[in-house]
Amino acid sequence: MSTESALRIVWVYPDLLSTYGDRGNLLILAQRARLRGVPVQTEEVRTDQAIPTGADVYLLAGGEDAPQTLAAERMLADGGLRRAVEHGAIVFAVCAGYQLVGSTFAARGRQYAGLDLYDLSSDRGPSRAVGELAGPVDPELALPLLTGFENHGGRTHLGPGVRPLATVSVGVGNDGQTEGAWTKGFIGTYAHGPALSRNPALADLVLRWATGRDSLEPLDDTWHDKLRNERLTALAARGKNVPPGRRQSGPVATS
Ligand code: GLN
């Protein structure tokens, strides 16, 4: 649908950046908005298209090193995402997309310039981080435990302009201690799964920012909870230290 008042969600470069079900982030976000009566317009902007500057939310997904470097080159040349962020657009970025919005990232044996939109940078870690990722979210966001799947060689270092999204209980995330980053209007995470399916409260945070609403009507999250609980139960069964907070549903946070 396309109306003047619709919430515009843009997925940037799905032809280069899309791994482990990241498309689901677009579907979940759009559906959770529509279920609250918010009209939504979704757009998939491919590498050979200009990034529009007037959308409300921009999604960036994961990718292997080669497509990631190409995406960085195209995004820097395009400049549209920077202009959108300067106009207040919201960014939800996963893995390669998360690394790309920082100042630099490592791929194929060297450092590449990122978009430098947020105060973070990435280099290479001693080993690949592959597997489940879980941990409590920054209490300031009042969200349930973060869960996801990670697969990355990079490690991410945060500056004072952003806060860690979560602390790591299982997995590696940024550096084995913290996972992801956020500041008002931006969430970066290493969590695939897709992240917004495994963490629908995170989707609702993005929607609250995008709509300016303090709270959103609760939805039936039975299936999200089943998915979360299945993954977290599997971790607990493997002796992993999974903190409480399995169910994500409950009162919708207002922060
Ligand atoms: N290429 C990046 C890395 O390995 C990101 C990987 C991903 O997006 N899954 O760190």
Side-chain angles (χ1 to χ4, degrees):
M1 83 181 286
S2 173
T3 68
E4 275 303 301
S5 60
L7 183 72
R8 278 182 75 191
I9 307 173
V10 167
W11 182 10
V12 181
Y13 298 171
D15 49 342
L16 289 178
L17 302 176
S18 176
T19 50
Y20 318 117
D22 287 337
R23 171 179 293 275
N25 291 329
L26 178 69
L27 303 178
I28 295 285
L29 207 54
Q31 183 65 1
R32 293 182 79 82
R34 290 186 180 119
L35 287 170
R36 270 69 172 249
V38 177
V40 176
Q41 178 185 339
T42 62
E43 295 161 52
E44 297 190 11
V45 174
R46 294 179 177 265
T47 321
D48 59 352
Q49 297 174 294
I51 300 174
T53 56
D56 301 292
V57 181
Y58 291 78
L59 304 179
L60 280 75
E64 293 87 15
D65 286 6
Q68 181 177 358
T69 56
L70 188 55
E73 192 183 300
R74 297 277 166 94
M75 274 187 225
L76 279 166
D78 179 280
L81 187 58
R82 167 167 294 282
R83 288 195 293 280
V85 168
E86 283 166 1
H87 291 129
I90 291 158
V91 172
F92 181 81
V94 174
C95 206
Y98 169 40
Q99 296 174 359
L100 277 174
V101 297
S103 56
T104 61
F105 67 93
R108 303 194 289 182
R110 70 176 191 78
Q111 289 294 122
Y112 287 81
L115 300 182
D116 202 14
L117 296 176
Y118 304 102
D119 193 7
L120 56 98
S121 64
S122 301
D123 55 16
R124 216 65 182 175
S127 60
R128 237 184 138 69
V130 185
E132 290 292 316
L133 176 62
V137 174
D138 184 341
E140 198 168 306
L141 291 174
L143 298 179
L145 191 75
L146 181 80
T147 98
F149 166 78
E150 64 180 340
N151 184 355
H152 54 101
R155 298 294 186 273
T156 298
H157 312 283
L158 310 185
V162 293
R163 291 168 62 103
L165 177 62
T167 49
V168 171
S169 303
V170 177
V172 175
N174 292 329
D175 57 2
Q177 305 291 316
T178 68
E179 145 54 19
W182 77 278
T183 184
K184 181 92 192 275
F186 166 65
I187 291 177
T189 178
Y190 274 110
H192 301 273
L196 297 185
S197 180
R198 290 188 43 176
N199 305 278
L202 201 52
D204 286 353
L205 172 66
V206 171
L207 289 177
R208 279 186 276 126
W209 283 342
T211 59
R213 297 188 186 182
D214 287 340
S215 63
L216 293 169
E217 166 195 337
L219 299 176
D220 177 0
D221 282 332
T222 306
W223 286 100
H224 292 293
D225 285 339
K226 276 185 198 276
L227 176 61
R228 288 173 64 82
N229 290 344
E230 179 201 286
R231 301 315 308 150
L232 293 171
T233 302
L235 282 180
R238 277 162 37 202
K240 300 285 187 185
N241 171 29
V242 183
R246 291 180 171 200
R247 284 179 58 84
Q248 76 84 34
S249 54
V252 178
T254 54
S255 65

